[in-house]
Coordinates of all heavy atoms in Angstrom, one line a residue:
M1 N -2.2 15.8 -35.8 CA -3.2 16.3 -34.8 C -2.9 17.7 -34.2 O -1.8 17.8 -33.9 CB -3.6 15.2 -33.8 CG -4.5 15.8 -32.7 SD -6.2 16.3 -33.3 CE -7.0 14.7 -33.6
D2 N -4.0 18.5 -34.1 CA -3.7 19.8 -33.6 C -3.1 19.9 -32.2 O -3.5 19.0 -31.3 CB -5.0 20.6 -33.6 CG -4.9 22.0 -33.2 OD1 -3.9 22.6 -33.8 OD2 -5.6 22.5 -32.4
A3 N -2.2 20.7 -32.0 CA -1.5 20.8 -30.6 C -2.0 22.2 -30.0 O -1.3 22.7 -29.2 CB -0.1 20.8 -30.7
T4 N -3.3 22.4 -30.3 CA -3.8 23.7 -29.5 C -4.4 23.2 -28.3 O -5.3 22.2 -28.3 CB -4.9 24.3 -30.4 OG1 -4.2 24.7 -31.7 CG2 -5.4 25.6 -29.8
R5 N -4.2 23.9 -27.2 CA -4.8 23.6 -25.9 C -6.3 23.5 -25.9 O -6.9 24.5 -26.5 CB -4.2 24.5 -24.8 CG -4.5 24.1 -23.5 CD -3.9 25.2 -22.5 NE -4.5 25.2 -21.2 CZ -5.8 25.7 -20.9 NH1 -6.3 26.5 -21.9 NH2 -6.2 25.7 -19.7
L6 N -6.9 22.4 -25.4 CA -8.5 22.4 -25.4 C -8.9 23.2 -24.2 O -8.3 23.3 -23.2 CB -8.8 21.0 -25.1 CG -8.4 19.9 -26.2 CD1 -9.0 18.5 -25.8 CD2 -8.8 20.3 -27.6
D7 N -10.1 23.9 -24.4 CA -10.7 24.6 -23.4 C -11.5 23.7 -22.5 O -11.6 22.5 -22.9 CB -11.6 25.8 -23.9 CG -12.8 25.4 -24.6 OD1 -13.3 24.2 -24.4 OD2 -13.2 26.1 -25.5
E8 N -12.0 24.1 -21.4 CA -12.8 23.2 -20.4 C -13.8 22.4 -21.2 O -13.9 21.2 -20.9 CB -13.4 24.1 -19.4 CG -12.4 24.7 -18.3 CD -11.7 23.7 -17.4 OE1 -12.5 22.8 -16.9 OE2 -10.5 23.8 -17.3
L9 N -14.6 23.1 -22.0 CA -15.7 22.3 -22.6 C -15.2 21.3 -23.6 O -15.8 20.2 -23.6 CB -16.6 23.4 -23.2 CG -17.9 22.8 -24.0 CD1 -18.7 22.0 -22.9 CD2 -18.7 23.8 -24.8
Q10 N -14.3 21.7 -24.4 CA -13.7 20.7 -25.3 C -13.1 19.5 -24.5 O -13.3 18.4 -25.0 CB -12.7 21.4 -26.1 CG -13.1 22.5 -27.1 CD -12.0 23.2 -27.7 OE1 -11.0 23.7 -27.0 NE2 -12.1 23.5 -29.1
R11 N -12.5 19.8 -23.5 CA -11.8 18.6 -22.7 C -12.9 17.7 -22.2 O -12.8 16.6 -22.3 CB -10.9 19.2 -21.7 CG -10.0 18.1 -21.1 CD -9.1 18.7 -20.0 NE -9.7 19.3 -19.0 CZ -9.0 19.8 -18.0 NH1 -7.7 20.0 -17.9 NH2 -9.8 20.4 -16.9
A12 N -14.0 18.3 -21.6 CA -15.0 17.5 -21.0 C -15.7 16.7 -22.2 O -16.1 15.6 -21.8 CB -16.0 18.5 -20.4
E13 N -15.9 17.3 -23.3 CA -16.6 16.6 -24.3 C -15.7 15.4 -24.8 O -16.2 14.3 -25.1 CB -16.7 17.5 -25.6 CG -17.9 18.5 -25.4 CD -18.0 19.6 -26.6 OE1 -16.9 19.7 -27.2 OE2 -19.0 20.2 -26.6
A14 N -14.4 15.6 -24.8 CA -13.5 14.5 -25.2 C -13.4 13.5 -24.2 O -13.4 12.3 -24.5 CB -12.1 15.1 -25.4
L15 N -13.4 13.9 -22.9 CA -13.4 12.9 -21.8 C -14.7 12.0 -21.8 O -14.6 10.8 -21.4 CB -13.3 13.6 -20.5 CG -11.8 14.0 -20.1 CD1 -11.8 14.9 -18.9 CD2 -10.9 12.8 -20.0
A16 N -15.8 12.5 -22.3 CA -17.1 11.9 -22.3 C -16.9 10.6 -23.2 O -17.6 9.5 -23.0 CB -18.2 12.8 -22.7
G17 N -15.9 10.6 -24.1 CA -15.9 9.5 -25.0 C -14.6 8.6 -24.7 O -14.2 7.8 -25.4
L18 N -14.1 8.9 -23.4 CA -13.0 8.1 -23.1 C -13.1 7.5 -21.6 O -12.9 8.1 -20.6 CB -11.6 9.1 -23.0 CG -11.1 9.6 -24.3 CD1 -10.1 10.7 -24.0 CD2 -10.5 8.4 -25.0
P19 N -13.7 6.3 -21.6 CA -14.1 5.7 -20.4 C -12.9 5.5 -19.5 O -11.8 5.0 -19.9 CB -14.6 4.3 -20.8 CG -14.3 4.1 -22.2 CD -14.0 5.3 -22.8
G20 N -13.1 5.8 -18.2 CA -11.9 5.7 -17.3 C -10.9 6.8 -17.1 O -10.1 6.8 -16.2
W21 N -11.0 7.6 -18.1 CA -10.1 8.8 -18.1 C -10.7 10.0 -17.3 O -11.9 10.1 -17.4 CB -9.8 9.3 -19.4 CG -8.9 8.4 -20.3 CD1 -9.3 7.3 -20.9 CD2 -7.5 8.3 -20.4 NE1 -8.3 6.6 -21.6 CE2 -7.2 7.2 -21.2 CE3 -6.5 9.1 -19.8 CZ2 -5.7 6.9 -21.5 CZ3 -5.2 8.9 -20.2 CH2 -4.8 7.8 -20.9
A22 N -9.9 10.8 -16.6 CA -10.4 11.9 -15.8 C -9.4 12.9 -15.7 O -8.2 12.7 -15.9 CB -10.7 11.4 -14.4
P23 N -9.8 14.2 -15.5 CA -8.8 15.3 -15.3 C -7.9 14.9 -14.1 O -8.4 14.4 -13.2 CB -9.7 16.5 -14.9 CG -11.1 16.1 -15.5 CD -11.1 14.6 -15.3
V24 N -6.7 15.4 -14.2 CA -5.8 15.2 -13.1 C -5.8 16.4 -12.1 O -5.5 17.6 -12.7 CB -4.4 15.0 -13.6 CG1 -3.3 15.0 -12.5 CG2 -4.2 13.7 -14.5
P25 N -6.1 16.2 -10.9 CA -6.3 17.4 -10.0 C -5.0 18.3 -10.0 O -3.9 17.8 -9.9 CB -6.4 16.7 -8.6 CG -7.0 15.3 -8.9 CD -6.4 15.0 -10.2
G26 N -5.2 19.6 -10.2 CA -4.0 20.5 -10.1 C -3.3 20.5 -11.4 O -2.3 21.4 -11.4
R27 N -3.8 19.9 -12.4 CA -2.9 19.9 -13.7 C -3.8 20.0 -14.9 O -4.9 19.5 -14.8 CB -2.0 18.7 -13.8 CG -0.9 18.6 -12.9 CD 0.1 17.5 -13.3 NE 0.6 17.7 -14.6 CZ 1.4 16.8 -15.2 NH1 1.7 15.6 -14.6 NH2 2.0 17.0 -16.4
D28 N -3.4 20.7 -15.8 CA -4.2 20.5 -17.1 C -3.8 19.3 -17.9 O -2.9 19.4 -18.7 CB -3.8 21.8 -17.9 CG -4.8 22.0 -19.2 OD1 -5.3 20.9 -19.5 OD2 -5.0 23.1 -19.6
A29 N -4.4 18.2 -17.4 CA -3.9 16.9 -18.0 C -5.0 15.9 -17.7 O -5.9 16.2 -16.8 CB -2.6 16.5 -17.1
I30 N -4.9 14.6 -18.3 CA -5.9 13.7 -18.1 C -5.2 12.4 -17.8 O -4.0 12.3 -18.1 CB -6.7 13.4 -19.3 CG1 -6.0 13.1 -20.6 CG2 -7.7 14.7 -19.6 CD1 -6.7 12.5 -21.7
G31 N -5.8 11.6 -16.9 CA -5.2 10.5 -16.3 C -6.0 9.2 -16.3 O -7.2 9.4 -16.4
K32 N -5.4 8.1 -16.3 CA -6.1 6.8 -16.2 C -5.2 5.8 -15.6 O -4.0 5.7 -15.8 CB -6.7 6.3 -17.5 CG -7.5 5.0 -17.5 CD -8.2 4.7 -18.8 CE -9.0 3.5 -18.9 NZ -9.5 3.1 -20.1
V33 N -5.8 4.8 -14.7 CA -5.0 3.6 -14.2 C -5.5 2.4 -15.0 O -6.6 2.1 -15.1 CB -5.2 3.5 -12.8 CG1 -4.5 2.2 -12.3 CG2 -4.9 4.7 -11.9
F34 N -4.6 1.8 -15.8 CA -4.7 0.5 -16.5 C -4.3 -0.6 -15.6 O -3.3 -0.5 -15.0 CB -4.0 0.6 -17.8 CG -4.5 1.5 -18.8 CD1 -4.1 2.8 -18.8 CD2 -5.4 1.1 -19.8 CE1 -4.7 3.7 -19.8 CE2 -5.8 1.9 -20.7 CZ -5.5 3.3 -20.7
R35 N -5.1 -1.6 -15.6 CA -4.8 -2.8 -14.8 C -4.8 -4.0 -15.8 O -5.8 -4.1 -16.5 CB -5.8 -3.2 -13.7 CG -5.6 -2.1 -12.6 CD -6.7 -2.4 -11.5 NE -6.6 -1.4 -10.4 CZ -7.0 -0.1 -10.4 NH1 -7.6 0.3 -11.6 NH2 -6.9 0.7 -9.4
F36 N -3.8 -4.8 -15.7 CA -3.6 -6.0 -16.6 C -3.5 -7.3 -15.9 O -3.5 -7.3 -14.7 CB -2.4 -5.7 -17.5 CG -2.4 -4.6 -18.3 CD1 -2.0 -3.3 -18.0 CD2 -3.1 -4.6 -19.6 CE1 -2.1 -2.2 -18.6 CE2 -3.1 -3.4 -20.3 CZ -2.6 -2.2 -19.9
A37 N -3.6 -8.5 -16.6 CA -3.6 -9.7 -15.9 C -2.3 -9.9 -15.0 O -2.3 -10.5 -14.0 CB -3.6 -10.8 -17.0
D38 N -1.2 -9.4 -15.6 CA 0.1 -9.6 -14.9 C 1.1 -8.6 -15.5 O 0.8 -7.8 -16.4 CB 0.6 -11.0 -15.1 CG 0.6 -11.6 -16.5 OD1 0.9 -10.6 -17.5 OD2 0.4 -12.7 -16.8
F39 N 2.4 -8.7 -15.0 CA 3.4 -7.7 -15.6 C 3.6 -7.9 -17.0 O 3.8 -6.9 -17.7 CB 4.7 -8.0 -14.7 CG 5.8 -7.1 -15.2 CD1 5.9 -5.7 -15.0 CD2 6.8 -7.7 -16.0 CE1 6.9 -5.0 -15.4 CE2 7.8 -6.9 -16.5 CZ 7.9 -5.6 -16.2
N40 N 3.7 -9.1 -17.4 CA 4.0 -9.3 -19.0 C 3.0 -8.6 -19.8 O 3.3 -8.0 -20.7 CB 4.1 -10.8 -19.3 CG 5.4 -11.4 -19.1 OD1 6.3 -10.7 -18.8 ND2 5.6 -12.7 -19.5
A41 N 1.7 -8.8 -19.4 CA 0.6 -8.0 -20.1 C 0.7 -6.5 -20.0 O 0.6 -5.9 -21.0 CB -0.7 -8.5 -19.8
A42 N 1.1 -6.0 -18.9 CA 1.3 -4.7 -18.8 C 2.4 -4.1 -19.6 O 2.4 -3.1 -20.3 CB 1.5 -4.3 -17.3
F43 N 3.5 -4.8 -19.4 CA 4.7 -4.4 -20.2 C 4.6 -4.5 -21.7 O 5.1 -3.6 -22.5 CB 5.9 -5.1 -19.8 CG 7.3 -4.3 -20.0 CD1 7.7 -3.3 -19.3 CD2 8.0 -4.8 -21.1 CE1 8.9 -2.6 -19.6 CE2 9.2 -4.1 -21.6 CZ 9.5 -3.0 -20.7
G44 N 3.9 -5.6 -22.1 CA 3.6 -5.8 -23.5 C 2.8 -4.6 -24.1 O 3.0 -4.0 -25.2
W45 N 1.8 -4.2 -23.4 CA 0.9 -3.0 -23.7 C 1.8 -1.8 -23.8 O 1.7 -0.9 -24.6 CB -0.2 -2.9 -22.7 CG -1.1 -1.6 -22.9 CD1 -2.1 -1.7 -23.7 CD2 -1.0 -0.4 -22.2 NE1 -2.6 -0.3 -23.7 CE2 -2.0 0.4 -22.7 CE3 -0.1 0.0 -21.1 CZ2 -2.2 1.8 -22.3 CZ3 -0.3 1.3 -20.7 CH2 -1.4 2.1 -21.3
M46 N 2.6 -1.5 -22.7 CA 3.5 -0.4 -22.9 C 4.4 -0.4 -23.9 O 4.7 0.7 -24.6 CB 4.4 -0.4 -21.5 CG 3.5 -0.1 -20.2 SD 4.6 -0.1 -18.7 CE 5.3 1.5 -18.9
S47 N 4.8 -1.5 -24.4 CA 5.7 -1.6 -25.6 C 5.1 -1.1 -26.9 O 5.5 -0.4 -27.7 CB 6.2 -3.1 -25.7 OG 6.9 -3.4 -24.6
R48 N 3.8 -1.6 -27.0 CA 2.9 -1.3 -28.1 C 2.7 0.3 -28.0 O 2.7 1.0 -29.1 CB 1.7 -2.0 -28.2 CG 1.8 -3.5 -28.3 CD 0.6 -4.2 -28.7 NE -0.4 -4.1 -27.6 CZ -0.4 -4.9 -26.6 NH1 0.5 -5.8 -26.4 NH2 -1.4 -4.9 -25.6
V49 N 2.4 0.7 -26.9 CA 2.0 2.2 -26.8 C 3.4 3.0 -27.1 O 3.2 4.0 -27.8 CB 1.5 2.5 -25.5 CG1 1.4 4.0 -25.3 CG2 0.2 1.9 -25.2
A50 N 4.5 2.5 -26.6 CA 5.8 3.2 -26.9 C 6.0 3.5 -28.3 O 6.4 4.4 -28.8 CB 6.8 2.5 -26.1
L51 N 5.7 2.4 -29.1 CA 6.0 2.5 -30.5 C 5.1 3.4 -31.2 O 5.5 4.3 -32.1 CB 5.9 1.1 -31.3 CG 6.8 0.0 -30.8 CD1 6.5 -1.4 -31.5 CD2 8.2 0.4 -31.2
M52 N 3.8 3.5 -30.7 CA 2.9 4.4 -31.3 C 3.3 5.9 -30.8 O 3.2 6.8 -31.6 CB 1.4 4.2 -30.9 CG 0.4 5.1 -31.5 SD 0.4 5.3 -33.2 CE -0.4 3.9 -33.7
A53 N 3.7 6.0 -29.6 CA 4.1 7.3 -29.1 C 5.2 7.8 -29.9 O 5.2 9.1 -30.3 CB 4.5 7.3 -27.7
E54 N 6.1 7.1 -30.3 CA 7.2 7.5 -31.1 C 6.6 7.9 -32.6 O 7.2 8.9 -33.1 CB 8.3 6.4 -31.3 CG 9.3 6.3 -30.2 CD 10.2 7.6 -30.1 OE1 11.1 7.6 -31.0 OE2 9.8 8.4 -29.2
R55 N 5.8 7.1 -33.0 CA 5.2 7.5 -34.4 C 4.5 8.9 -34.3 O 4.6 9.7 -35.2 CB 4.2 6.4 -34.9 CG 4.9 5.2 -35.4 CD 3.9 4.2 -35.8 NE 2.9 4.6 -37.0 CZ 2.0 3.9 -37.3 NH1 1.6 2.7 -36.8 NH2 1.1 4.3 -38.3
L56 N 3.8 9.1 -33.2 CA 3.0 10.3 -33.0 C 3.8 11.4 -32.6 O 3.4 12.6 -32.5 CB 1.9 10.0 -32.0 CG 0.8 9.1 -32.4 CD1 -0.2 8.8 -31.1 CD2 0.0 9.6 -33.5
D57 N 5.2 11.0 -32.1 CA 5.9 12.1 -31.4 C 5.2 12.7 -30.3 O 5.2 13.9 -30.2 CB 6.4 13.2 -32.5 CG 7.5 14.0 -31.9 OD1 8.2 13.5 -31.0 OD2 7.7 15.2 -32.2
H58 N 4.6 11.9 -29.5 CA 3.7 12.4 -28.4 C 3.8 11.2 -27.4 O 3.5 10.2 -27.6 CB 2.2 12.6 -28.8 CG 1.6 13.5 -27.8 ND1 1.9 14.7 -27.6 CD2 0.7 13.1 -26.8 CE1 1.1 15.2 -26.7 NE2 0.4 14.2 -26.2
H59 N 4.3 11.6 -26.1 CA 4.7 10.6 -25.2 C 3.9 10.7 -23.9 O 3.7 11.9 -23.4 CB 6.2 10.6 -25.0 CG 7.0 10.6 -26.2 ND1 7.2 11.6 -27.1 CD2 7.6 9.5 -26.8 CE1 8.0 11.1 -28.2 NE2 8.2 9.8 -28.0
P60 N 3.6 9.5 -23.3 CA 2.9 9.7 -22.0 C 3.9 9.8 -20.9 O 5.1 9.6 -20.9 CB 2.3 8.2 -21.9 CG 3.3 7.4 -22.7 CD 3.8 8.2 -23.8
E61 N 3.3 10.3 -19.7 CA 3.9 10.3 -18.4 C 3.4 9.0 -17.8 O 2.1 8.9 -17.7 CB 3.7 11.6 -17.7 CG 4.1 12.8 -18.2 CD 3.6 14.0 -17.4 OE1 3.2 13.9 -16.3 OE2 3.5 15.2 -18.1
W62 N 4.1 8.0 -17.5 CA 3.5 6.9 -16.9 C 4.4 6.2 -15.8 O 5.6 6.3 -15.8 CB 3.1 5.8 -18.0 CG 4.1 5.5 -19.0 CD1 5.5 5.9 -19.0 CD2 3.9 4.8 -20.2 NE1 6.1 5.4 -20.1 CE2 5.2 4.7 -20.9 CE3 2.8 4.2 -20.7 CZ2 5.3 4.0 -22.1 CZ3 2.9 3.5 -21.9 CH2 4.1 3.3 -22.6
R63 N 3.7 5.4 -14.9 CA 4.4 4.7 -13.8 C 3.8 3.3 -13.8 O 2.6 3.2 -13.8 CB 4.1 5.4 -12.5 CG 4.7 4.8 -11.3 CD 4.3 5.7 -10.0 NE 4.8 5.1 -8.9 CZ 4.2 4.3 -7.9 NH1 2.8 4.1 -8.3 NH2 4.7 3.8 -7.0
N64 N 4.7 2.3 -13.9 CA 4.3 0.9 -13.9 C 4.7 0.3 -12.5 O 5.9 0.3 -12.2 CB 5.0 0.2 -15.0 CG 4.9 -1.3 -14.9 OD1 5.9 -2.0 -14.9 ND2 3.7 -1.9 -14.8
V65 N 3.7 -0.4 -11.9 CA 4.1 -1.3 -10.7 C 3.3 -2.6 -11.0 O 2.1 -2.7 -11.0 CB 3.5 -0.7 -9.4 CG1 3.7 -1.7 -8.3 CG2 4.0 0.7 -9.0
Y66 N 4.1 -3.6 -11.3 CA 3.6 -5.0 -11.6 C 2.6 -4.9 -12.7 O 2.9 -4.7 -13.9 CB 3.0 -5.7 -10.3 CG 2.6 -7.1 -10.6 CD1 3.4 -8.0 -11.2 CD2 1.3 -7.4 -10.3 CE1 3.0 -9.3 -11.5 CE2 0.8 -8.8 -10.6 CZ 1.8 -9.6 -11.1 OH 1.3 -11.0 -11.5
N67 N 1.3 -5.1 -12.4 CA 0.2 -5.2 -13.5 C -0.5 -3.8 -13.7 O -1.5 -3.9 -14.5 CB -0.8 -6.4 -13.3 CG -1.7 -6.0 -12.0 OD1 -1.2 -5.5 -11.1 ND2 -2.9 -6.5 -12.0
R68 N -0.1 -2.8 -13.1 CA -0.8 -1.6 -13.1 C 0.0 -0.5 -13.8 O 1.3 -0.5 -13.7 CB -1.0 -1.0 -11.7 CG -2.3 -1.5 -11.0 CD -2.1 -1.2 -9.5 NE -1.8 0.3 -9.2 CZ -2.8 1.1 -9.1 NH1 -4.0 0.8 -9.0 NH2 -2.5 2.5 -8.8
V69 N -0.5 0.3 -14.6 CA 0.2 1.4 -15.3 C -0.6 2.7 -15.1 O -1.9 2.7 -15.4 CB 0.3 1.2 -16.8 CG1 1.2 2.3 -17.4 CG2 1.1 -0.2 -17.1
E70 N -0.1 3.6 -14.3 CA -0.8 4.9 -14.1 C -0.2 5.9 -15.1 O 0.9 6.0 -15.4 CB -0.4 5.5 -12.8 CG -0.7 4.5 -11.5 CD -0.1 4.9 -10.2 OE1 0.6 5.9 -10.2 OE2 -0.2 4.1 -9.2
V71 N -1.2 6.4 -15.9 CA -0.9 7.2 -17.0 C -1.4 8.7 -17.0 O -2.5 8.8 -16.4 CB -1.6 6.7 -18.3 CG1 -1.3 7.5 -19.6 CG2 -1.1 5.2 -18.6
V72 N -0.5 9.6 -17.2 CA -1.0 11.0 -17.4 C -0.6 11.5 -18.7 O 0.5 11.2 -19.2 CB -0.3 11.8 -16.3 CG1 -0.6 13.3 -16.5 CG2 -0.8 11.4 -14.9
L73 N -1.5 12.1 -19.3 CA -1.3 12.7 -20.7 C -1.6 14.2 -20.7 O -2.6 14.7 -20.1 CB -2.3 12.2 -21.7 CG -2.2 10.5 -22.0 CD1 -3.2 10.0 -23.0 CD2 -0.7 10.2 -22.4
T74 N -0.6 15.0 -21.2 CA -0.7 16.3 -21.4 C 0.3 16.7 -22.4 O 1.2 16.0 -22.8 CB -0.4 17.2 -20.1 OG1 -0.7 18.6 -20.2 CG2 1.1 17.1 -19.7
T75 N 0.1 17.9 -23.1 CA 0.9 18.3 -24.1 C 1.9 19.4 -23.6 O 1.4 20.5 -23.3 CB 0.3 18.8 -25.4 OG1 -0.6 17.7 -25.8 CG2 1.2 19.2 -26.5
H76 N 3.2 19.0 -23.4 CA 4.1 20.0 -22.7 C 4.2 21.2 -23.5 O 4.2 22.3 -23.0 CB 5.3 19.2 -22.5 CG 5.3 17.9 -21.8 ND1 5.8 16.7 -22.4 CD2 4.8 17.6 -20.6 CE1 5.5 15.8 -21.5 NE2 4.9 16.2 -20.5
D77 N 4.3 21.0 -24.9 CA 4.5 22.1 -25.7 C 3.4 23.1 -25.6 O 3.6 24.3 -25.9 CB 4.8 21.8 -27.2 CG 6.0 21.0 -27.4 OD1 6.9 21.0 -26.4 OD2 6.2 20.3 -28.5
A78 N 2.2 22.7 -25.3 CA 1.0 23.6 -25.3 C 0.6 24.0 -23.9 O -0.4 24.8 -23.7 CB -0.2 22.9 -26.0
G79 N 1.3 23.3 -22.9 CA 0.9 23.6 -21.5 C -0.5 23.1 -21.1 O -1.1 23.7 -20.2
G80 N -0.9 22.1 -21.7 CA -2.3 21.5 -21.3 C -2.6 20.4 -22.3 O -1.9 19.9 -23.1
V81 N -3.8 19.9 -22.1 CA -4.4 18.8 -22.9 C -4.8 19.3 -24.3 O -5.4 20.4 -24.5 CB -5.7 18.3 -22.2 CG1 -6.3 17.2 -23.2 CG2 -5.3 17.7 -20.9
T82 N -4.3 18.6 -25.3 CA -4.7 18.9 -26.7 C -5.2 17.7 -27.3 O -5.3 16.6 -26.8 CB -3.4 19.3 -27.5 OG1 -2.5 18.2 -27.6 CG2 -2.6 20.4 -26.8
G83 N -5.6 17.9 -28.7 CA -6.1 16.7 -29.3 C -5.1 15.6 -29.5 O -5.5 14.5 -29.6
R84 N -3.8 15.9 -29.4 CA -2.8 14.8 -29.4 C -2.9 13.9 -28.2 O -2.7 12.7 -28.3 CB -1.4 15.4 -29.5 CG -1.1 16.2 -30.7 CD 0.0 17.2 -30.6 NE 1.4 16.5 -30.6 CZ 2.0 16.1 -31.6 NH1 1.6 16.4 -32.8 NH2 3.2 15.6 -31.5
D85 N -3.3 14.4 -27.1 CA -3.6 13.6 -25.9 C -4.7 12.6 -26.1 O -4.7 11.5 -25.7 CB -3.6 14.5 -24.6 CG -2.4 15.3 -24.4 OD1 -1.3 14.8 -24.2 OD2 -2.5 16.5 -24.6
I86 N -5.7 13.2 -26.8 CA -7.0 12.5 -27.0 C -6.7 11.3 -28.0 O -7.2 10.1 -27.6 CB -8.0 13.4 -27.4 CG1 -8.4 14.5 -26.6 CG2 -9.4 12.6 -27.7 CD1 -8.5 14.2 -25.1
V87 N -5.9 11.6 -29.0 CA -5.6 10.6 -30.0 C -4.8 9.4 -29.3 O -5.1 8.2 -29.4 CB -4.8 11.1 -31.1 CG1 -4.1 10.1 -31.9 CG2 -5.7 12.0 -31.9
L88 N -3.8 9.8 -28.4 CA -3.1 8.8 -27.7 C -3.9 8.0 -26.7 O -3.7 6.8 -26.6 CB -1.8 9.4 -27.0 CG -0.8 8.5 -26.5 CD1 -0.3 7.3 -27.4 CD2 0.4 9.3 -25.9
A89 N -4.8 8.7 -26.0 CA -5.6 8.0 -25.0 C -6.5 7.0 -25.8 O -6.7 5.9 -25.3 CB -6.5 9.0 -24.3
R90 N -7.0 7.3 -26.9 CA -7.9 6.4 -27.6 C -7.0 5.2 -28.1 O -7.6 4.0 -27.9 CB -8.5 7.2 -28.9 CG -9.5 8.1 -28.7 CD -10.2 8.6 -29.9 NE -11.1 9.7 -29.6 CZ -11.3 10.9 -30.2 NH1 -10.4 11.1 -31.2 NH2 -12.2 11.7 -29.9
F91 N -5.8 5.4 -28.5 CA -5.0 4.3 -28.8 C -4.7 3.4 -27.7 O -4.8 2.2 -27.8 CB -3.6 4.8 -29.5 CG -2.8 3.6 -29.8 CD1 -2.9 2.8 -31.0 CD2 -1.7 3.2 -28.9 CE1 -2.1 1.8 -31.3 CE2 -0.9 2.1 -29.3 CZ -1.1 1.5 -30.4
M92 N -4.5 4.0 -26.5 CA -4.1 3.3 -25.3 C -5.3 2.4 -25.1 O -5.1 1.1 -24.6 CB -3.8 4.2 -24.1 CG -2.5 4.8 -24.3 SD -2.1 6.0 -22.9 CE -0.3 5.9 -22.8
D93 N -6.5 2.9 -25.1 CA -7.7 2.1 -24.7 C -7.8 1.0 -25.7 O -8.1 -0.2 -25.3 CB -8.9 3.0 -24.8 CG -9.1 4.0 -23.5 OD1 -8.3 3.7 -22.6 OD2 -9.8 4.9 -23.5
A94 N -7.7 1.3 -27.0 CA -7.9 0.3 -27.9 C -6.7 -0.8 -27.8 O -7.1 -2.0 -27.9 CB -7.7 0.8 -29.4
A95 N -5.6 -0.5 -27.4 CA -4.5 -1.3 -27.3 C -4.6 -2.3 -26.0 O -4.1 -3.3 -25.9 CB -3.1 -0.7 -27.3
A96 N -5.3 -1.8 -25.0 CA -5.7 -2.5 -23.8 C -6.7 -3.6 -23.9 O -6.9 -4.4 -23.2 CB -6.1 -1.5 -22.7
G97 N -7.5 -3.4 -25.0 CA -8.4 -4.4 -25.4 C -9.8 -4.2 -24.6 O -9.9 -3.3 -23.7
Ligands
HBI1 N1 5.0 14.5 -25.7 N2 3.3 14.6 -24.1 C1 4.1 15.2 -25.0 N3 4.1 16.6 -25.0 C2 4.9 17.3 -25.8 O1 4.9 18.4 -25.9 C3 5.8 16.5 -26.7 C4 5.9 15.1 -26.5 N4 6.7 14.4 -27.3 C5 7.6 14.9 -28.2 C6 7.6 16.4 -28.3 N5 6.7 17.1 -27.5 C7 8.5 17.1 -29.3 O2 7.7 17.5 -30.4 C8 9.1 18.3 -28.7 O3 9.7 17.9 -27.5 C9 10.0 18.8 -29.8

């Protein structure tokens, strides 16, 4: 997937198809808070995402507290949101069920 930084319109269009995702204030990044039934469910999801992140060679910035996972996606190499972030966001949503 292309690692070219999305412009404002492209990012807004991509976000329209990503429920719960939003721009991160002050950063060229997108974020979402995932909530699960319990810690096991959260960590199991993180494990599945981690394996896909390795396959994609594209990794999230995330923070887990019990059943919550706060996620920020941006492409460090491009200095902003790219299609790689959109692909990973879509996978995260699908994996969360
Ligand atoms: N993950 N989010 C993110 N952004 C990157 O630029 C990135 C990454 N994972 C691996 C990666 N880049 C490598 O391609 C480079 O560090 C070499």
